[in-house]
Amino acid sequence: MTAGVKEMKPIILASASPRRKELLNQARIPFITMPSDFDEALEMTGSPAEKAEKLAYFKALEIARKSNYGLILGADTIVVLDDVIFGKPADDSEAFYMLSILSGREHSVITGIALIDTEKEYVKKGHEITKVRFAELTPEEIKYYISTGEPEGKAGAYAVQGIGAMLVESIEGCYSNVVGLPLMKLRKMLEDFNIYVMNVRE
């Protein structure tokens, strides 16, 4: 019998991100949180997508080494334009720089996902890419947005699920990926662990 969402043990989310928690709750996937302390600033080799996958994997691996509980989920979201990775801004000045560069242009939002089954020692990695186009933003509009505090702690200095939605002209691809966790990608990856979250069992 395949495991339905009601039978599955809660997965461990190796992240403190409130957006990822909200998305897992939205999908009704049971989970507990054990945030990883892995340093996101460490340099990784490879393409932006490969780097996102590696960061997600190392986040999950750190928690897996502390727990023999079961299934660990790591994720890392980055914004990429012209092969330059835009992570979380260090301060308002960096946020202004990022948003000025993104203004009026299309960029990629990439989320790497890693799942580690500590009991079966099975690892699955993947990523999702979504194209996002910003409207042309004036310096005053950027400064106003920064004054809301929303860019803090957000890859690319914006949150599409918040006020940042008014910066976005169009989205091509998975919306939840831009928020921080591509739910369809996660659903398909969980099926590799014989977990079918759309199975409803009373």
Side-chain angles (χ1 to χ4, degrees):
M1 179 182 294
T2 57
V5 70
K6 291 190 177 182
E7 288 79 23
M8 71 179 286
K9 293 189 297 185
I11 63 176
I12 296 178
L13 175 63
S15 170
S17 166
R19 280 82 58 193
R20 294 189 180 117
K21 293 177 187 177
E22 289 170 5
L23 287 167
L24 288 174
N25 281 324
Q26 174 186 322
R28 299 187 179 183
I29 297 174
F31 70 97
I32 60 175
T33 56
M34 290 182 63
S36 168
D37 293 323
F38 185 78
D39 186 358
E40 296 182 14
L42 290 177
E43 288 294 325
M44 298 283 169
T45 59
S47 68
E50 289 169 336
K51 291 177 181 179
E53 286 189 14
K54 288 177 182 178
L55 283 167
Y57 170 71
F58 284 119
K59 288 179 182 180
L61 183 62
E62 183 191 9
I63 300 305
R65 287 171 172 167
K66 299 176 182 177
S67 171
N68 58 359
Y69 175 82
L71 191 60
I72 318 292
L73 167 63
D76 189 80
T77 301
I78 58 175
V79 167
V80 181
L81 178 61
D82 297 332
D83 289 326
V84 176
I85 294 175
F86 294 77
K88 300 171 183 176
D91 52 32
D92 288 354
S93 295
E94 189 172 11
F96 185 88
Y97 169 77
M98 289 182 181
L99 293 168
S100 297
I101 296 295
L102 297 176
S103 173
R105 301 185 67 188
E106 183 181 84
H107 62 269
S108 298
V109 178
I110 305 174
T111 300
I113 298 179
L115 289 167
I116 300 177
D117 187 328
T118 57
E119 296 172 356
K120 298 179 180 178
E121 298 185 347
Y122 180 58
V123 177
K124 183 76 175 179
K125 291 182 285 186
H127 67 271
E128 186 72 32
I129 301 177
T130 302
K131 300 291 186 181
V132 179
R133 177 172 289 278
F134 266 22
E136 291 279 357
L137 306 174
T138 66
E140 291 72 24
E141 289 170 333
I142 294 173
K143 288 176 183 176
Y144 166 76
Y145 181 57
I146 291 172
S147 75
T148 68
E150 193 172 84
E152 183 179 353
K154 310 297 194 305
Y158 74 96
V160 73
Q161 74 277 17
I163 304 167
M166 292 190 290
L167 312 180
V168 174
E169 203 167 74
S170 64
I171 294 176
E172 181 183 340
C174 176
Y175 171 80
S176 67
N177 181 49
V178 187
V179 179
L181 189 65
L183 291 177
M184 178 57 74
K185 183 71 175 181
L186 177 61
R187 172 188 169 182
K188 291 178 179 177
M189 288 176 65
L190 286 170
E191 290 176 0
D192 288 330
F193 293 80
N194 202 34
I195 295 171
Y196 296 81
V197 298
M198 294 299 290
N199 283 9
V200 178
R201 300 182 184 279
E202 301 298 335

